[in-house]
Amino acid sequence: MPYPDCDKYPSCEQALNQSSSDPGFPNLIYVSAVGTKDKLHFVLTTINVPSLLILQTSMDGQMYFNWDGILLADNITDMANAINVSASSVLYQYSVLFTRLIEYNDTSDVANLAIADEPNSKTEWKIHDFRDFKWMNATTGQGGNSIIFSTAYHDINKTDATGNLTGSLYFEFEMHGEDGRDEDLPHLIYNTNMTQLNFVLDKYTPAFANSRFALEVAVISNSSVHDDLPDEMSIEETKSIDDEYSPGVFKIVNWYSRQNHKDAGGYIQWKPVCYLDAHRARDKGTEVQYYGLTGTQHIDDILNTSVAFAYFGDRLYTDKNVVRKASNISFGFSNDGFYVGSNYTAWTVSIGFGTPPEESISTMVIAVIAAGLGIPVIIIVIGGLYVCIKRRRSQTYEPLGNGSGSYAPVN
Amino acid sequence: MSESEKKPLLAKDSEDTETKVYVGNPCDPRGCLHRYFPVLVIMCFLSFGSYFCYDNPAALQDTMIKDLSLSESQFMLLYSLYSWPNVILCFFGGFLIDRVFGVRMGSIIFSLFVTAGQVVFAFGSLTNLFWLMCLGRFIFGIGGESLAVAQNTYAVKWFKGRELNMVFGLQLSFSRVGSTVNMNVMQPLYSYIHNYASGYKCLGIALFVGAVMCVFSLLCAFALAFLDKRADRILKRAAVGSGDQIRLWDVKHFPLTFWLISIICVAYYVAVFPFVGLGLVFFEMKFGLTPEQANSVNSLVYIISAVASPVFGFLIDKLGKNLFWVITGVTVTLGCHGLMAFTFLTPYVAMVVMGLAYSVLASALWPMVALIIPENQLGTAYGIMQAIQNLGLAVIALVAGIIVDSKGYLILEVFFMAWLCLALIAAVLLYLTDVAKGGKLNMSAKERHSHKELKNVAESDE
């Protein structure tokens, strides 16, 4: 993949020469995961809006980036099809975009977007379009497996006396070369077909006293393999009695991009919990809620400047096999003190391809249940049998039974 | 045949005792009315002040943290200064009741400690001296749990062989009433005083109102001591504490059955109260309740036990079979924890049933001690039981917090269920040991009555 020539692109040049306090860096990270039968391509970017493009192609798949189109586009026709793939077959194409950050003044402390948005509610809103955010040069996170896109948006970030940024909003994407489970709560399972995203709002200056935040997420799905079942998206919630990996969280949510072909589609997986402290703990957790899927008409202008448009072009709207849906993910729960209570919110989510990982009850839990409940039950059963047998025997020898003991003294 | 010999004799005896019931007027200790009013009423209010003030900090948590600019851990210290010393203190409190003070003097002294502690606590707040408040809580703690022991001892002295289960139930119910009244009264009271004073001064004045409750309880202690002494004189009862005096080392002669009861007590209580402490988030996250709903589910155990304990106590008085009810209580609670751990059934069901099971257990368990321990050692026995229970609650609350943070609620529930299984094993062992000794603990009320009659006959024959 050719790197863009910085002499040619002013925005690239600007970004390189600017100090980190006045940035605006067009980050684009490309990662490929080569399997035995197919190849997955991940494009992670902050160009216009933070977004991902994930493609599944045959092994010979190659991606091409037309930097003119991506970085210099004045209008959407220039942008269209600036990202290309050449492959003998493109099996699945999928994009996840974070379009807007929603802020609202939750004066009644119900922490519910649907209620806040009711026609007669007087909720104050501040909708932050992610196109207005400026991004710093991507940095590598701890362990070297992750890349951090951090924003520096002067209206919303405090600067101290020296002009240094004190607050931030960032997206940290982590890729793994093996299967495993995230070290941090909520300990989501990861594999090689996904990226794990940490969305963090750290010391972000809220607009209102009772501010709460929500993310608007859009998903675009396009499969080239079809059968009779239509490609529809769905958000499904699975309950479990087992919360051993994420104490206090009993649900897992999957947003399937292909409800009827889960193994050949994309997914966004999260547990409905976010954390109010960088040291994540059960008692620092609060709830994450999702809302129904909607169309994308209201944000089409955002999509039109995204990598999704750079890849799909007009097909985004004309191809009937392209499905576009959006939903909101809100953070917080009644009585958790609003955003200002902690000035920190972190949410972890997995975005990947194929059947999402499923939680199962660990052998440790089964062993604890077996030992904690099994042993006493065995003791009680054996003890009970012993007593029954003993009683039966003693009855055959002493017809008077136990009653004799109680009034023996009388005689 | 032994059976046919026994029956007519017994029937006659029980008829006789029923015709012997003498109501009398409230002032006459020979009548049963005197027992209910004034004695039982005063007895219930004896520890009202201490239960009211114990939860003062919880009722005023937000204002207290703000007015005194306390940290979360400083606030928690106000509770641990009460609970940890009481792991040992109430054992000695019970022993002192038996050996030194007697129940009358004991309850007055412990009431004095409670009152003094609350006064120091309130004064500490009034002067914004946190160390003084801590000292106040400590002094309060010296009195608080031992006062509960004295109250139990009084109950046995007046009601043994009569309505003891109901009285224990009623006392339990009053302890809940005390903390509920506190929870609902303190905040409005604080707001009212806020019109005249502000900050820690306002808080101090509010806490002094708590001290008034303690003074009221102290007056009850005096009244009860007077009535008890008078009854001793009129009824020629042998004063508790006379005769063979217990020595500290005598506890090793306490029967196995007593230790089994103590094990049941601690293993059961640690599976209920630390769970209630961690319940809020569990109900919100697993069952999707709102914070208000979660709060009301969480307080169900307390509310139900306040109402149901005297009723169950009354029924157990009529039916007997204490041990059967204990085993039922433990088993049903085990089922409730199972429901909450392994199903998504609304927790209202499990918590209501658990509240009932707890009431049955509490009103059947504590009176059993009076059946196996001589009266002059009862203070010590209840003191030990309370001490073991306090130790269990303090340790398990910490352990439960660690488990839930690292392994989640499923494992926590299994942990609680394992404790209940231990309680169940102890209860079954208790049953077996008891049967071998003549089945005193699990007699029906009728059997117990006739047993007592026969014993009296045997004694008068001697």
Side-chain angles (χ1 to χ4, degrees):
Chain A
M1 187 177 80
Y3 288 95
D5 175 8
C6 268
D7 292 336
K8 196 172 159 194
Y9 304 107
S11 66
C12 173
E13 184 74 12
Q14 276 163 14
L16 287 181
N17 293 333
Q18 273 157 356
S19 70
S20 64
S21 65
D22 184 21
F25 204 99
N27 298 291
L28 189 145
I29 310 288
Y30 171 80
V31 181
S32 67
V34 184
T36 49
K37 284 182 227 133
D38 58 4
K39 190 171 174 183
L40 289 178
H41 308 260
F42 292 86
V43 177
L44 319 171
T45 181
T46 59
I47 294 173
N48 289 319
V49 291
S51 41
L52 294 95
L53 181 64
I54 300 172
L55 306 179
Q56 182 204 17
T57 67
S58 51
M59 299 291 282
D60 58 352
Q62 286 287 330
M63 286 196 86
Y64 297 97
F65 297 83
N66 173 0
W67 298 111
D68 279 352
I70 296 169
L71 297 174
L72 296 178
D74 287 329
N75 54 55
I76 65 166
T77 41
D78 293 342
M79 182 96 177
N81 305 107
I83 300 175
N84 274 301
V85 67
S86 85
S88 49
S89 64
V90 181
L91 299 163
Y92 186 60
Q93 308 150 74
Y94 158 62
S95 179
V96 177
L97 306 103
F98 298 92
T99 46
R100 298 190 296 182
L101 178 71
I102 299 161
E103 183 176 0
Y104 66 106
N105 197 12
D106 188 19
T107 44
S108 50
D109 198 13
V110 286
N112 187 308
L113 278 187
I115 293 172
D117 200 23
E118 277 170 0
N120 52 359
S121 91
K122 295 193 183 82
T123 312
E124 296 167 275
W125 299 85
K126 187 166 186 189
I127 310 292
H128 309 268
D129 189 325
F130 271 120
R131 285 177 298 186
D132 299 336
F133 284 62
K134 297 282 178 267
W135 301 90
M136 296 200 275
N137 193 356
T139 53
T140 312
Q142 276 185 339
N145 277 339
S146 71
I147 196 84
I148 300 172
F149 297 146
S150 191
T151 180
Y153 182 72
H154 288 186
D155 282 347
I156 52 166
N157 274 295
K158 276 182 187 163
T159 51
D160 63 16
T162 57
N164 291 324
L165 295 166
T166 56
S168 72
L169 174 160
Y170 65 86
F171 290 83
E172 177 181 15
F173 290 95
E174 195 164 357
M175 307 286 296
H176 292 276
E178 70 294 309
D179 293 358
R181 196 180 273 282
D182 193 13
E183 274 177 29
D184 291 324
L185 283 170
H187 300 301
L188 287 176
I189 298 173
Y190 58 72
N191 60 35
T192 53
N193 295 337
M194 66 156 77
T195 173
Q196 277 188 333
L197 162 66
N198 282 315
F199 170 70
V200 180
L201 274 172
D202 188 9
K203 296 191 211 73
Y204 193 100
T205 310
F208 313 111
N210 299 331
S211 272
R212 290 190 187 280
F213 290 93
L215 264 182
E216 185 182 54
V217 185
V219 174
I220 294 159
S221 167
N222 177 208
S223 170
S224 51
V225 186
H226 291 283
D227 58 24
D228 296 340
L229 290 170
D231 263 356
E232 279 170 5
M233 292 196 198
S234 68
I235 301 182
E236 292 170 22
E237 192 177 274
T238 312
K239 277 185 183 177
S240 163
I241 58 163
D242 183 19
D243 65 333
E244 58 174 314
Y245 296 111
S246 45
V249 185
F250 297 87
K251 290 176 204 157
I252 192 156
V253 184
N254 285 301
W255 178 344
Y256 297 104
S257 70
R258 301 182 75 195
Q259 188 190 349
N260 298 319
H261 306 85
K262 285 171 186 164
D263 57 328
Y267 63 85
I268 306 178
Q269 181 183 64
W270 69 91
K271 290 193 173 182
V273 63
C274 60
Y275 294 91
L276 302 176
D277 195 287
H279 300 283
R280 299 181 179 189
R282 179 192 64 89
D283 56 351
K284 304 286 185 202
T286 186
E287 209 167 277
V288 168
Q289 291 181 67
Y290 63 91
Y291 304 84
L293 290 170
T294 65
T296 58
Q297 297 81 352
H298 61 296
I299 45 169
D300 278 348
D301 61 322
I302 303 181
L303 300 191
N304 288 341
T305 58
S306 69
V307 283
F309 191 77
Y311 177 76
F312 289 105
D314 289 336
R315 282 206 302 127
L316 201 53
Y317 306 104
T318 54
D319 189 337
K320 65 178 173 52
N321 290 323
V322 172
V323 182
R324 289 166 288 129
K325 290 287 178 200
S327 182
N328 293 322
I329 313 280
S330 72
F331 309 113
F333 192 57
S334 296
N335 296 350
D336 67 2
F338 308 102
Y339 178 75
V340 286
S342 59
N343 281 315
Y344 187 91
T345 296
W347 177 53
T348 301
V349 57
S350 299
I351 301 170
F353 174 80
T355 311
E358 271 180 54
E359 292 280 1
S360 58
I361 294 178
S362 73
T363 45
M364 193 273 292
V365 167
I366 293 166
V368 169
I369 293 175
L373 304 182
I375 293 172
V377 168
I378 291 169
I379 292 175
I380 289 169
V381 168
I382 292 177
L385 283 176
Y386 172 76
V387 172
C388 287
I389 292 165
K390 208 180 163 194
R391 278 195 146 189
R392 188 157 286 195
R393 283 208 184 139
S394 66
Q395 264 173 8
T396 52
Y397 298 119
E398 291 173 57
L400 296 181
N402 283 316
S404 60
S406 62
Y407 65 94
V410 187
N411 309 327
Chain B
M1 284 300 287
S2 56
E3 284 295 315
S4 56
E5 273 172 11
K6 201 169 153 191
K7 264 181 186 163
L9 182 74
L10 285 179
K12 196 171 158 248
D13 268 14
S14 56
E15 267 168 28
D16 281 356
T17 47
E18 260 162 46
T19 53
K20 261 187 242 162
V21 170
Y22 165 58
V23 178
N25 69 53
C27 299
D28 184 354
R30 282 164 299 187
C32 73
L33 185 56
H34 179 72
R35 231 169 37 229
Y36 303 127
F37 182 82
V39 175
L40 182 54
V41 176
I42 297 176
M43 205 180 277
C44 285
F45 280 104
L46 179 61
S47 58
F48 183 83
S50 100
Y51 285 116
F52 183 90
C53 294
Y54 171 73
D55 266 334
N56 274 176
L60 293 169
Q61 180 164 10
D62 292 343
T63 39
M64 200 170 243
I65 286 175
K66 204 171 80 224
D67 288 349
L68 302 164
S69 40
L70 300 182
S71 67
E72 196 72 19
S73 56
Q74 276 178 316
F75 180 80
M76 292 312 290
L77 185 64
L78 294 176
Y79 276 99
S80 39
L81 270 172
Y82 179 96
S83 56
W84 282 103
N86 267 310
V87 168
I88 297 169
L89 281 177
C90 61
F91 164 66
F92 286 105
F95 177 72
L96 289 173
I97 290 173
D98 285 343
R99 168 80 198 223
V100 185
F101 303 143
V103 62
R104 291 194 285 264
M105 210 51 203
S107 49
I108 291 172
I109 289 171
F110 295 131
S111 293
L112 277 171
F113 269 106
V114 166
T115 313
Q118 180 70 12
V119 169
V120 173
F121 184 58
F123 193 72
S125 164
L126 204 60
T127 50
N128 198 12
L129 293 171
F130 183 67
W131 66 266
L132 199 59
M133 295 181 75
C134 290
L135 181 68
R137 283 298 276 190
F138 179 73
I139 299 171
F140 180 77
I142 294 175
E145 294 289 293
S146 304
L147 186 59
V149 173
Q151 196 187 20
N152 288 347
T153 316
Y154 258 135
V156 173
K157 193 174 173 191
W158 280 85
F159 294 96
K160 191 184 173 187
R162 298 182 180 112
E163 304 90 359
L164 189 57
N165 295 287
M166 186 204 57
V167 171
F168 269 94
L170 202 60
Q171 285 182 355
L172 176 72
S173 151
F174 253 74
S175 68
R176 298 291 160 241
V177 171
S179 52
T180 311
V181 170
N182 155 68
M183 284 294 182
N184 292 303
V185 159
M186 286 314 274
Q187 197 61 50
L189 184 71
Y190 177 90
S191 312
Y192 175 75
I193 298 170
H194 209 265
N195 296 329
Y196 307 98
S198 61
Y200 53 82
K201 290 217 168 97
C202 175
L203 186 67
I205 296 168
L207 293 176
F208 267 115
V209 177
V212 172
M213 295 292 172
C214 295
V215 172
F216 172 65
S217 286
L218 180 61
L219 293 176
C220 288
F222 279 113
L224 206 52
F226 167 75
L227 291 172
D228 191 64
K229 188 151 194 173
R230 179 166 167 268
D232 275 2
R233 184 167 45 86
I234 296 174
L235 300 177
K236 298 181 182 68
R237 289 196 301 206
V240 170
S242 69
D244 297 337
Q245 279 207 328
I246 185 176
R247 279 157 306 174
L248 208 50
W249 200 232
D250 285 351
V251 294
K252 76 171 196 281
H253 299 304
F254 278 2
L256 174 64
T257 43
F258 169 74
W259 297 111
L260 287 172
I261 291 174
S262 299
I263 290 173
I264 299 171
C265 175
V266 68
Y268 183 85
Y269 277 71
V270 298
V272 173
F273 291 99
F275 172 72
V276 172
L278 292 164
L280 274 185
V281 180
F282 182 59
F283 298 135
E284 287 171 10
M285 297 302 281
K286 182 166 178 181
F287 302 98
L289 302 188
T290 64
E292 292 75 29
Q293 289 170 326
N295 209 4
S296 65
V297 172
N298 214 23
S299 54
L300 273 177
V301 171
Y302 291 114
I303 295 169
I304 288 176
S305 67
V307 179
S309 304
V311 179
F312 282 128
F314 176 77
L315 290 177
I316 294 168
D317 281 323
K318 293 289 164 217
L319 298 171
K321 299 261 178 205
N322 281 44
L323 197 43
F324 168 78
W325 293 113
V326 167
I327 292 175
T328 308
V330 175
T331 315
V332 170
T333 309
L334 190 60
C336 293
H337 270 300
L339 273 184
M340 286 189 283
F342 302 121
T343 74
F344 283 95
L345 184 74
T346 168
Y348 281 97
V349 177
M351 291 302 272
V352 166
V353 178
M354 193 191 277
L356 295 173
Y358 165 67
S359 310
V360 169
L361 181 122
S363 34
L365 183 73
W366 292 88
M368 284 204 299
V369 178
L371 299 174
I372 53 172
I373 299 286
E375 213 157 305
N376 65 336
Q377 301 173 3
L378 262 181
T380 312
Y382 278 124
I384 290 173
M385 231 167 121
Q386 201 101 23
I388 296 175
Q389 189 196 337
N390 285 336
L391 176 67
L393 288 176
V395 173
I396 297 304
L398 286 181
V399 175
I402 294 168
I403 289 178
V404 73
D405 282 339
S406 57
K407 293 289 164 211
Y409 280 97
L410 179 65
I411 298 283
L412 179 72
E413 281 287 26
V414 172
F415 173 72
F416 288 143
M417 289 165 84
W419 279 104
L420 286 170
C421 285
L422 179 67
L424 196 58
I425 291 172
V428 171
L429 281 178
L430 178 61
Y431 175 75
L432 297 178
T433 329
D434 180 55
V435 164
K437 285 185 177 181
K440 207 196 283 184
L441 294 178
N442 206 31
M443 280 181 189
S444 70
K446 220 172 185 181
E447 286 168 337
R448 190 167 293 153
H449 210 86
S450 47
H451 184 68
K452 202 174 128 198
E453 293 294 324
L454 288 164
K455 214 170 153 190
N456 289 344
V457 171
E459 273 164 16
S460 57
D461 282 354
E462 273 166 18

